């Protein structure tokens, strides 16, 4: 099972304040632990929303809005993509993250097996093979 762990943003992250060397070292130690255990598939911090954009669709027409966006607590500052056997195992790994404050959200990814048979899913399987498949 693959899970996306979303790191909720805060005002400092949205202001572009970089983490201290101590925090970076703690995070790297945690990332190395995830990697050694074969759990971590990917992960990164995200630039502030002032460097991003949103594309909203209405009636099939896209509307682009440049950042920054309000409500920092509803924004994402980073993520991990992990592969574990269960939601409970994902929770146990996330509880070990080196955070003093903040919030992490855990969301399971859909797998192609979650969908019924269809031509679109068959095409998705072919694309997955071309891309190297899920890890």
């Amino acid at each position: 099972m693959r899970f996306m762990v979303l790191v909720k943003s805060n005002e400092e992250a949205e202001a572009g304040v970089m983490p201290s060397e101590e925090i970076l070292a703690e995070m790297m130690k945690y990332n190395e632990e995830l990697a050694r255990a074969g759990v971590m598939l990917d992960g990164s911090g995200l630039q502030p929303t002032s460097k991003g954009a949103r594309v909203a669709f209405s009636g099939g027409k896209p509307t682009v809005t440049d950042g920054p966006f309000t409500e920092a607590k509803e924004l994402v500052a980073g993520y991990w993509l992990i592969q574990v056997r269960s939601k409970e195992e994902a929770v146990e790994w996330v509880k070990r993250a080196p955070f003093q404050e903040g919030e992490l959200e855990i969301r399971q990814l859909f797998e192609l097996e979650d969908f019924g048979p269809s031509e679109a899913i068959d095409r998705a399987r072919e694309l997955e093979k071309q891309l190297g498949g899920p890890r």
Side-chain angles (χ1 to χ4, degrees), residues 36-54:
R36 274 193 308 276
V39 171
M40 186 171 174
L41 300 176
D42 192 20
S44 189
L46 301 175
Q47 295 276 348
T49 62
S50 61
K51 295 184 176 186
R54 286 187 177 161

Side-chain angles (χ1 to χ4, degrees), residues 42-89:
D42 192 20
S44 189
L46 301 175
Q47 295 276 348
T49 62
S50 61
K51 295 184 176 186
R54 286 187 177 161
V55 180
F57 292 87
S58 179
K61 181 180 177 187
T63 302
V64 178
T65 305
D66 289 327
F69 306 116
T70 57
E71 294 299 321
K73 67 181 181 177
E74 299 298 323
L75 301 173
V76 177
Y79 72 94
W80 286 279
L81 183 59
I82 62 174
Q83 185 166 2
V84 293
R85 290 180 294 277
S86 66
K87 182 176 88 173
E88 293 75 22
E89 184 179 356

Side-chain angles (χ1 to χ4, degrees), residues 5-8 10 23 26-27 30 77-78 80 94-104:
V5 180
L6 303 168
V7 179
K8 297 297 184 106
N10 59 37
I23 292 171
E26 289 177 13
M27 195 62 66
Y30 179 67
W80 286 279
V94 171
K95 285 169 47 178
R96 295 162 62 180
F99 284 84
Q100 297 298 314
E101 300 291 331
E103 183 177 15
L104 302 175

Side-chain angles (χ1 to χ4, degrees), residues 81-135:
L81 183 59
I82 62 174
Q83 185 166 2
V84 293
R85 290 180 294 277
S86 66
K87 182 176 88 173
E88 293 75 22
E89 184 179 356
V91 168
E92 288 306 312
W93 275 106
V94 171
K95 285 169 47 178
R96 295 162 62 180
F99 284 84
Q100 297 298 314
E101 300 291 331
E103 183 177 15
L104 302 175
E105 181 177 332
I106 304 167
R107 303 276 303 273
Q108 185 174 349
L109 275 65
F110 277 108
E111 305 293 347
L112 291 177
E113 295 75 33
D114 295 327
F115 297 92
S118 77
E119 186 177 319
I121 296 303
D122 291 342
R123 288 175 41 212
R125 283 190 177 90
E126 287 303 314
L127 180 58
E128 191 175 75
K129 287 178 190 174
Q130 291 174 22
L131 297 175
R135 296 183 189 189

